[in-house]
PDB file of all heavy atoms in Angstrom:
ATOM      1  N   SER O 190     117.012  70.021  79.502  1.00  0.00           N
ATOM      2  CA  SER O 190     117.514  71.270  80.087  1.00  0.00           C
ATOM      3  C   SER O 190     116.422  72.322  80.154  1.00  0.00           C
ATOM      4  O   SER O 190     116.365  73.127  81.086  1.00  0.00           O
ATOM      5  CB  SER O 190     118.697  71.801  79.270  1.00  0.00           C
ATOM      6  OG  SER O 190     118.318  72.033  77.919  1.00  0.00           O
ATOM      7  N   ARG O 191     115.513  72.317  79.162  1.00  0.00           N
ATOM      8  CA  ARG O 191     114.405  73.272  79.164  1.00  0.00           C
ATOM      9  C   ARG O 191     113.463  73.003  80.334  1.00  0.00           C
ATOM     10  O   ARG O 191     112.964  73.927  80.980  1.00  0.00           O
ATOM     11  CB  ARG O 191     113.653  73.186  77.839  1.00  0.00           C
ATOM     12  CG  ARG O 191     112.573  74.246  77.677  1.00  0.00           C
ATOM     13  CD  ARG O 191     111.900  74.137  76.326  1.00  0.00           C
ATOM     14  NE  ARG O 191     112.859  74.273  75.224  1.00  0.00           N
ATOM     15  CZ  ARG O 191     112.495  74.223  73.944  1.00  0.00           C
ATOM     16  NH1 ARG O 191     111.221  74.023  73.628  1.00  0.00           N
ATOM     17  NH2 ARG O 191     113.400  74.352  72.999  1.00  0.00           N
ATOM     18  N   HIS O 192     113.213  71.733  80.623  1.00  0.00           N
ATOM     19  CA  HIS O 192     112.344  71.387  81.752  1.00  0.00           C
ATOM     20  C   HIS O 192     112.976  71.812  83.075  1.00  0.00           C
ATOM     21  O   HIS O 192     112.269  72.240  83.995  1.00  0.00           O
ATOM     22  CB  HIS O 192     112.070  69.880  81.753  1.00  0.00           C
ATOM     23  CG  HIS O 192     111.188  69.453  80.628  1.00  0.00           C
ATOM     24  ND1 HIS O 192     111.057  68.132  80.237  1.00  0.00           N
ATOM     25  CD2 HIS O 192     110.392  70.162  79.784  1.00  0.00           C
ATOM     26  CE1 HIS O 192     110.229  68.050  79.223  1.00  0.00           C
ATOM     27  NE2 HIS O 192     109.807  69.264  78.927  1.00  0.00           N
ATOM     28  N   GLU O 193     114.295  71.696  83.183  1.00  0.00           N
ATOM     29  CA  GLU O 193     114.966  72.156  84.396  1.00  0.00           C
ATOM     30  C   GLU O 193     114.788  73.654  84.577  1.00  0.00           C
ATOM     31  O   GLU O 193     114.543  74.139  85.689  1.00  0.00           O
ATOM     32  CB  GLU O 193     116.452  71.786  84.328  1.00  0.00           C
ATOM     33  CG  GLU O 193     116.718  70.285  84.403  1.00  0.00           C
ATOM     34  CD  GLU O 193     118.198  69.971  84.255  1.00  0.00           C
ATOM     35  OE1 GLU O 193     118.987  70.940  84.108  1.00  0.00           O
ATOM     36  OE2 GLU O 193     118.566  68.776  84.301  1.00  0.00           O
ATOM     37  N   LEU O 194     114.911  74.417  83.480  1.00  0.00           N
ATOM     38  CA  LEU O 194     114.716  75.862  83.548  1.00  0.00           C
ATOM     39  C   LEU O 194     113.281  76.204  83.939  1.00  0.00           C
ATOM     40  O   LEU O 194     113.038  77.100  84.763  1.00  0.00           O
ATOM     41  CB  LEU O 194     115.067  76.497  82.201  1.00  0.00           C
ATOM     42  CG  LEU O 194     114.829  78.013  82.074  1.00  0.00           C
ATOM     43  CD1 LEU O 194     115.672  78.759  83.095  1.00  0.00           C
ATOM     44  CD2 LEU O 194     115.137  78.483  80.652  1.00  0.00           C
ATOM     45  N   MET O 195     112.309  75.486  83.367  1.00  0.00           N
ATOM     46  CA  MET O 195     110.904  75.732  83.676  1.00  0.00           C
ATOM     47  C   MET O 195     110.614  75.431  85.143  1.00  0.00           C
ATOM     48  O   MET O 195     109.875  76.184  85.803  1.00  0.00           O
ATOM     49  CB  MET O 195     110.014  74.882  82.763  1.00  0.00           C
ATOM     50  CG  MET O 195     110.077  75.276  81.295  1.00  0.00           C
ATOM     51  SD  MET O 195     109.205  74.137  80.198  1.00  0.00           S
ATOM     52  CE  MET O 195     107.513  74.431  80.691  1.00  0.00           C
ATOM     53  N   ALA O 196     111.187  74.350  85.673  1.00  0.00           N
ATOM     54  CA  ALA O 196     110.983  74.011  87.086  1.00  0.00           C
ATOM     55  C   ALA O 196     111.595  75.076  87.987  1.00  0.00           C
ATOM     56  O   ALA O 196     111.004  75.460  89.009  1.00  0.00           O
ATOM     57  CB  ALA O 196     111.591  72.642  87.386  1.00  0.00           C
ATOM     58  N   PHE O 197     112.776  75.591  87.599  1.00  0.00           N
ATOM     59  CA  PHE O 197     113.413  76.643  88.393  1.00  0.00           C
ATOM     60  C   PHE O 197     112.567  77.908  88.396  1.00  0.00           C
ATOM     61  O   PHE O 197     112.393  78.554  89.442  1.00  0.00           O
ATOM     62  CB  PHE O 197     114.803  76.937  87.824  1.00  0.00           C
ATOM     63  CG  PHE O 197     115.487  78.112  88.481  1.00  0.00           C
ATOM     64  CD1 PHE O 197     116.090  77.961  89.724  1.00  0.00           C
ATOM     65  CD2 PHE O 197     115.500  79.349  87.865  1.00  0.00           C
ATOM     66  CE1 PHE O 197     116.708  79.046  90.336  1.00  0.00           C
ATOM     67  CE2 PHE O 197     116.123  80.426  88.461  1.00  0.00           C
ATOM     68  CZ  PHE O 197     116.720  80.282  89.702  1.00  0.00           C
ATOM     69  N   ILE O 198     112.007  78.272  87.237  1.00  0.00           N
ATOM     70  CA  ILE O 198     111.156  79.474  87.153  1.00  0.00           C
ATOM     71  C   ILE O 198     109.918  79.314  88.028  1.00  0.00           C
ATOM     72  O   ILE O 198     109.505  80.241  88.732  1.00  0.00           O
ATOM     73  CB  ILE O 198     110.764  79.737  85.689  1.00  0.00           C
ATOM     74  CG1 ILE O 198     111.991  80.139  84.873  1.00  0.00           C
ATOM     75  CG2 ILE O 198     109.701  80.825  85.597  1.00  0.00           C
ATOM     76  CD1 ILE O 198     111.726  80.275  83.389  1.00  0.00           C
ATOM     77  N   LEU O 199     109.318  78.125  88.004  1.00  0.00           N
ATOM     78  CA  LEU O 199     108.124  77.884  88.807  1.00  0.00           C
ATOM     79  C   LEU O 199     108.425  77.995  90.297  1.00  0.00           C
ATOM     80  O   LEU O 199     107.683  78.654  91.040  1.00  0.00           O
ATOM     81  CB  LEU O 199     107.551  76.505  88.475  1.00  0.00           C
ATOM     82  CG  LEU O 199     106.331  76.065  89.285  1.00  0.00           C
ATOM     83  CD1 LEU O 199     105.176  77.033  89.078  1.00  0.00           C
ATOM     84  CD2 LEU O 199     105.917  74.653  88.913  1.00  0.00           C
ATOM     85  N   LEU O 200     109.501  77.366  90.748  1.00  0.00           N
ATOM     86  CA  LEU O 200     109.860  77.436  92.161  1.00  0.00           C
ATOM     87  C   LEU O 200     110.190  78.868  92.585  1.00  0.00           C
ATOM     88  O   LEU O 200     109.779  79.323  93.662  1.00  0.00           O
ATOM     89  CB  LEU O 200     111.053  76.513  92.444  1.00  0.00           C
ATOM     90  CG  LEU O 200     110.782  75.011  92.338  1.00  0.00           C
ATOM     91  CD1 LEU O 200     112.075  74.226  92.516  1.00  0.00           C
ATOM     92  CD2 LEU O 200     109.745  74.575  93.367  1.00  0.00           C
ATOM     93  N   PHE O 201     110.915  79.584  91.736  1.00  0.00           N
ATOM     94  CA  PHE O 201     111.245  80.978  92.045  1.00  0.00           C
ATOM     95  C   PHE O 201     109.975  81.818  92.150  1.00  0.00           C
ATOM     96  O   PHE O 201     109.844  82.661  93.049  1.00  0.00           O
ATOM     97  CB  PHE O 201     112.169  81.543  90.968  1.00  0.00           C
ATOM     98  CG  PHE O 201     112.493  82.996  91.169  1.00  0.00           C
ATOM     99  CD1 PHE O 201     113.460  83.393  92.088  1.00  0.00           C
ATOM    100  CD2 PHE O 201     111.821  83.973  90.436  1.00  0.00           C
ATOM    101  CE1 PHE O 201     113.745  84.733  92.277  1.00  0.00           C
ATOM    102  CE2 PHE O 201     112.106  85.323  90.620  1.00  0.00           C
ATOM    103  CZ  PHE O 201     113.069  85.697  91.541  1.00  0.00           C
ATOM    104  N   ALA O 202     109.026  81.589  91.225  1.00  0.00           N
ATOM    105  CA  ALA O 202     107.781  82.349  91.247  1.00  0.00           C
ATOM    106  C   ALA O 202     106.982  82.070  92.512  1.00  0.00           C
ATOM    107  O   ALA O 202     106.404  82.987  93.110  1.00  0.00           O
ATOM    108  CB  ALA O 202     106.946  82.029  90.001  1.00  0.00           C
ATOM    109  N   LEU O 203     106.925  80.814  92.940  1.00  0.00           N
ATOM    110  CA  LEU O 203     106.181  80.467  94.148  1.00  0.00           C
ATOM    111  C   LEU O 203     106.746  81.172  95.372  1.00  0.00           C
ATOM    112  O   LEU O 203     105.993  81.742  96.182  1.00  0.00           O
ATOM    113  CB  LEU O 203     106.199  78.950  94.352  1.00  0.00           C
ATOM    114  CG  LEU O 203     105.397  78.112  93.355  1.00  0.00           C
ATOM    115  CD1 LEU O 203     105.637  76.632  93.579  1.00  0.00           C
ATOM    116  CD2 LEU O 203     103.906  78.425  93.476  1.00  0.00           C
ATOM    117  N   PHE O 204     108.063  81.186  95.516  1.00  0.00           N
ATOM    118  CA  PHE O 204     108.679  81.850  96.665  1.00  0.00           C
ATOM    119  C   PHE O 204     108.565  83.360  96.553  1.00  0.00           C
ATOM    120  O   PHE O 204     108.264  84.057  97.534  1.00  0.00           O
ATOM    121  CB  PHE O 204     110.151  81.434  96.785  1.00  0.00           C
ATOM    122  CG  PHE O 204     110.346  80.065  97.367  1.00  0.00           C
ATOM    123  CD1 PHE O 204     110.713  79.009  96.557  1.00  0.00           C
ATOM    124  CD2 PHE O 204     110.148  79.828  98.715  1.00  0.00           C
ATOM    125  CE1 PHE O 204     110.901  77.736  97.083  1.00  0.00           C
ATOM    126  CE2 PHE O 204     110.331  78.558  99.260  1.00  0.00           C
ATOM    127  CZ  PHE O 204     110.708  77.514  98.433  1.00  0.00           C
ATOM    128  N   ALA O 205     108.796  83.904  95.356  1.00  0.00           N
ATOM    129  CA  ALA O 205     108.746  85.360  95.186  1.00  0.00           C
ATOM    130  C   ALA O 205     107.348  85.899  95.441  1.00  0.00           C
ATOM    131  O   ALA O 205     107.174  86.927  96.110  1.00  0.00           O
ATOM    132  CB  ALA O 205     109.222  85.726  93.771  1.00  0.00           C
ATOM    133  N   PHE O 206     106.341  85.212  94.927  1.00  0.00           N
ATOM    134  CA  PHE O 206     104.966  85.671  95.136  1.00  0.00           C
ATOM    135  C   PHE O 206     104.576  85.609  96.597  1.00  0.00           C
ATOM    136  O   PHE O 206     103.772  86.414  97.069  1.00  0.00           O
ATOM    137  CB  PHE O 206     104.004  84.844  94.278  1.00  0.00           C
ATOM    138  CG  PHE O 206     103.727  85.440  92.933  1.00  0.00           C
ATOM    139  CD1 PHE O 206     104.480  85.068  91.829  1.00  0.00           C
ATOM    140  CD2 PHE O 206     102.727  86.371  92.762  1.00  0.00           C
ATOM    141  CE1 PHE O 206     104.237  85.620  90.580  1.00  0.00           C
ATOM    142  CE2 PHE O 206     102.465  86.923  91.525  1.00  0.00           C
ATOM    143  CZ  PHE O 206     103.221  86.550  90.425  1.00  0.00           C
ATOM    144  N   GLN O 207     105.110  84.648  97.325  1.00  0.00           N
ATOM    145  CA  GLN O 207     104.815  84.570  98.750  1.00  0.00           C
ATOM    146  C   GLN O 207     105.261  85.841  99.461  1.00  0.00           C
ATOM    147  O   GLN O 207     104.526  86.417 100.259  1.00  0.00           O
ATOM    148  CB  GLN O 207     105.527  83.352  99.366  1.00  0.00           C
ATOM    149  CG  GLN O 207     104.921  82.016  99.019  1.00  0.00           C
ATOM    150  CD  GLN O 207     103.586  81.769  99.710  1.00  0.00           C
ATOM    151  OE1 GLN O 207     103.234  82.446 100.666  1.00  0.00           O
ATOM    152  NE2 GLN O 207     102.843  80.823  99.213  1.00  0.00           N
TER     153      GLN O 207
END
Side-chain angles (χ1 to χ4, degrees):
S190 59
R191 186 178 302 181
H192 290 164
E193 292 177 1
L194 176 61
M195 293 172 68
F197 174 78
I198 293 174
L199 177 60
L200 291 175
F201 177 80
L203 290 173
F204 283 106
F206 268 93
Q207 286 288 344

